[in-house]
Amino acid sequence: MNITFRQLTVFEAVANCLSFTQAAQTLHLSQPAVSMQIKQLEENVGLPLFEKLGRQSYLTEAGREMHHYCRSIAGQLDELEEVLEHIKGIQRGRLDISVASTANYFATRLLAAFSRKYEGTTFSLDVTNRETLLRQLELNEKDLVIMGKPPEERDLEATVFMDNPLVVIAAPGHPLAKEKNLKLEALQEETFVVRESGSGTRIAMQRFFAEHDVQLSTGMEMTSNEAIKQAVEADLGLGIVSIHTLELELEAGRLVVLDIKEFPILRHWYVVQRQGKRLSPVAQAFKDFVINEVI
Ligand code: PGA
């Protein structure tokens, strides 16, 4: 079957009004041109699609089937047009997001993959700690935020999309580095380099040790994961960071993850927005991308 789009359009116009003359007027064609298209279509399918009784045209059984499929093709085309318009809307858009300092280790890769999918989108990415992220959400400054679980009592909509395991790190020469199945109590003798208050990692760590009734001695406080890793490498103490921050150091053998029974502390990453916020097409597409395509 070698049907053309043009033949289907003409057929649908005739089938809708059951008149070649009226269809010709609607399509701004001559009546013979309409008849020619229908004749070619009938030759292509090998069946008559119309029959004439007196002056009135009727659809044959094959014609009725053809009409049914024509309608669904037209419906699909409308849908396709909408989808393409939606993609154009996304590509024209600018995404304004914030991510937790710890999430930045994968967020840039996510943005790169998203912009490969929707060429033309532009971004503004702010990297900051949990406390600041919550403030930005409250002030409605950002489309979306990627962070650890936000507090229940806030007016926020949070969708989980990935694990965030927190681990204890040490310099490779540290006395605990080679121990297996360490007890939590062994950490009480150690000094920790910790993130600033306001960091999600810090809050999770404090909660975890309080629940396990373990007192930690915290030495230096630092405002970035990079600074913590360097301090730990320089043997200034142990650190607790997300496994997402460690790819390079573990590969290069510059840091080790301690083998402790109760670890990792399992946190999760969420994509968060204010409840009821109407997202722009690009923000909605990014949210769907994060939820559906991140494994
Ligand atoms: P952060 O991480 O420590 O970089 O603020 C966010 C979180 O784990 O909630």
Side-chain angles (χ1 to χ4, degrees):
M1 220 169 31
N2 196 12
I3 298 175
T4 68
F5 220 64
R6 175 109 185 109
Q7 288 165 356
L8 289 184
T9 316
V10 173
F11 170 82
E12 211 203 342
V14 180
N16 283 346
C17 59
L18 292 174
S19 154
F20 283 62
T21 319
Q22 226 173 298
Q25 279 166 4
T26 319
L27 296 169
H28 305 291
L29 291 173
S30 67
Q31 209 241 7
V34 169
S35 302
M36 175 64 80
Q37 292 287 338
I38 298 297
K39 189 162 165 282
Q40 282 168 354
L41 180 61
E42 288 179 329
E43 277 166 13
N44 279 337
V45 300
L47 288 166
L49 299 170
F50 294 96
E51 60 189 349
K52 235 181 161 121
L53 298 176
R55 293 173 61 84
Q56 181 61 48
S57 295
Y58 295 92
L59 285 165
T60 60
E61 190 189 346
R64 282 196 295 277
E65 286 297 331
M66 178 73 83
H67 197 198
H68 168 75
Y69 283 99
C70 264
R71 280 202 202 116
S72 83
I73 292 169
Q76 296 258 312
L77 276 180
D78 288 346
E79 209 177 296
L80 173 64
E81 200 178 337
E82 244 174 66
V83 169
L84 295 179
E85 277 309 310
H86 181 67
I87 293 175
K88 280 187 210 158
I90 295 170
Q91 289 181 335
R92 282 191 295 264
R94 181 178 171 78
L95 186 62
D96 195 3
I97 63 166
S98 273
V99 304
S101 336
T102 307
N104 193 37
Y105 288 81
F106 59 84
T108 5
R109 254 176 280 170
L110 258 182
L111 285 172
F114 180 74
S115 64
R116 274 195 298 275
K117 181 164 178 179
Y118 297 105
E119 277 172 40
T121 32
T122 51
F123 309 101
S124 144
L125 171 69
D126 193 5
V127 182
T128 182
N129 73 17
R130 175 180 175 87
E131 201 174 279
T132 315
L133 294 173
L134 289 171
R135 201 171 44 247
Q136 288 175 337
L137 281 165
E138 194 171 313
L139 297 174
N140 196 19
E141 285 178 357
K142 298 288 161 185
D143 296 330
L144 292 168
V145 159
I146 291 179
M147 64 185 298
K149 191 173 201 259
E152 304 270 338
E153 66 277 11
R154 307 265 180 136
D155 225 7
L156 299 171
E157 200 177 305
T159 314
V160 67
F161 68 93
M162 190 163 69
D163 288 351
N164 175 23
L166 305 185
V167 293
V168 182
I169 50 168
H174 192 278
L176 298 181
K178 297 209 160 48
E179 302 269 331
K180 291 272 163 260
N181 221 359
L182 279 164
K183 291 211 162 54
L184 261 191
E185 292 72 44
L187 300 180
Q188 290 194 123
E189 316 296 320
E190 302 295 326
T191 306
F192 275 76
V193 186
V194 293
R195 284 281 304 276
E196 78 283 10
S197 53
S199 138
T201 309
R202 164 92 176 252
I203 295 167
M205 162 188 152
Q206 283 172 328
R207 193 184 311 126
F208 174 83
F209 285 108
E211 275 165 17
H212 288 80
D213 222 4
V214 171
Q215 289 288 327
L216 275 201
S217 88
T218 52
M220 273 177 268
E221 201 175 283
M222 303 192 173
T223 55
S224 82
N225 291 303
E226 286 306 305
I228 295 206
K229 289 188 292 182
Q230 283 177 23
V232 173
E233 234 183 288
D235 228 355
L236 287 172
L238 299 178
I240 294 184
V241 291
S242 161
I243 196 88
H244 295 300
T245 68
L246 290 171
E247 204 178 323
L248 296 177
E249 289 77 7
L250 295 181
E251 222 173 85
R254 296 208 307 264
L255 289 171
V256 293
V257 171
L258 294 188
D259 181 14
I260 305 163
K261 227 167 114 222
E262 289 81 357
F263 271 80
I265 302 173
L266 193 57
R267 283 173 70 69
H268 297 93
W269 290 118
Y270 289 76
V271 56
V272 185
Q273 68 181 87
R274 276 178 62 130
Q275 200 118 48
K277 182 177 172 73
R278 239 183 102 91
L279 294 179
S280 64
V282 66
Q284 185 62 51
F286 184 69
K287 182 177 176 183
D288 296 343
F289 180 81
V290 170
I291 294 168
N292 299 321
E293 298 195 28
V294 175
I295 341 125

